[in-house]
Amino acid sequence: MALNFFNYFNDSKCTSDKDEAYQKKGGEPNPDDYEKLYFKAEFTAMDKENRGKLTTSEFVKLMMFLGYGERWKVDELLKAVNPEGDGYITIDEFYSAMKRPGVTEGTSRLRDIFFKFDDNKDGRATKEQILQGFADMGIEVDDEIKEKINKLDTNNDGKVAYQDFVQSQLLTKGVLK
């Protein structure tokens, strides 16, 4: 029986962050650049109201969703990157959190999957790359999956942004409403 990765997806249409984060700046990207691009996409996917910051509750939910660990571990990370305890995490604090020892590795499940599809490391992958990647992983690619991938292409350019990929997972898992 083939795996069905897309049981994670729902029918909600996600909105993409169409800023410079998805623009490749010529030449081969620096690994730190695309890592930061992916981190920004995760942060922005959780910041559904486009406030430019996450509440500490949203941060905790995101980190647990990404697989960082138990609540106490995420709480310790929160205290380390937001010692003033102002109730919000900025993008810079999020970058700081992700650069702490073990955090990037502990939160890389979705990043690793999408990275396989994103051949030029610009934070986007073609629908065909995603479908072929899933088939290569033994996931049954049926019409329902194709439809869900099509819905993730929010601007109809034939590509899916990592941010939309993450946001669809957050919505499906009930982390975002």
Side-chain angles (χ1 to χ4, degrees):
M1 184 168 136
L3 299 171
N4 187 345
F5 181 84
F6 278 91
N7 66 348
Y8 289 88
F9 282 81
N10 68 6
D11 294 326
S12 297
K13 202 169 190 184
C14 302
T15 57
S16 279
D17 183 25
K18 303 297 184 213
D19 65 8
E20 76 285 349
Y22 294 104
Q23 305 298 316
K24 188 175 176 189
K25 305 282 192 263
E28 285 300 309
N30 178 325
D32 290 339
D33 292 341
Y34 56 77
E35 193 171 73
K36 195 171 183 179
L37 177 92
Y38 276 43
F39 296 155
K40 181 177 182 178
E42 292 163 354
F43 180 92
T44 306
M46 189 68 180
D47 182 19
K48 198 170 176 199
E49 296 176 19
N50 297 316
R51 296 173 305 214
K53 57 188 174 184
L54 301 177
T55 66
T56 53
S57 174
E58 290 168 335
F59 174 78
V60 168
K61 288 177 185 179
L62 177 60
M63 295 307 289
M64 292 183 73
F65 168 78
L66 290 172
Y68 183 59
E70 297 177 32
R71 175 64 191 253
W72 68 267
K73 192 173 178 182
V74 177
D75 286 341
E76 284 184 2
L77 178 63
L78 178 61
K79 288 177 191 168
V81 298
N82 187 260
E84 68 276 5
D86 63 2
Y88 292 98
I89 297 293
T90 65
I91 187 69
D92 290 334
E93 289 170 326
F94 187 72
Y95 291 150
S96 176
M98 297 308 282
K99 287 300 187 179
R100 296 185 69 81
V103 176
T104 298
E105 299 80 8
T107 61
S108 65
R109 178 179 50 93
L110 284 179
R111 231 174 284 125
D112 289 346
I113 291 169
F114 198 84
F115 193 78
K116 291 175 184 177
F117 313 140
D118 183 5
D119 65 349
N120 67 355
K121 310 308 174 225
D122 69 348
R124 300 183 313 154
T126 67
K127 293 184 282 188
E128 292 78 20
Q129 288 170 313
I130 294 170
L131 294 172
Q132 183 59 53
F134 284 136
D136 292 348
M137 291 188 293
I139 296 169
E140 185 178 336
V141 178
D142 58 17
D143 289 339
E144 181 182 355
I145 290 172
K146 290 176 185 175
E147 182 181 330
K148 289 177 181 184
I149 288 289
N150 282 330
K151 286 183 180 186
L152 291 177
D153 178 10
T154 59
N155 67 356
N156 298 313
D157 68 350
K159 295 184 177 185
V160 173
Y162 177 61
Q163 176 185 330
D164 292 336
F165 183 76
V166 171
Q167 195 170 68
S168 71
Q169 298 295 296
L170 290 166
L171 287 164
T172 298
K173 293 294 187 176
V175 177
L176 281 178
K177 304 289 184 219

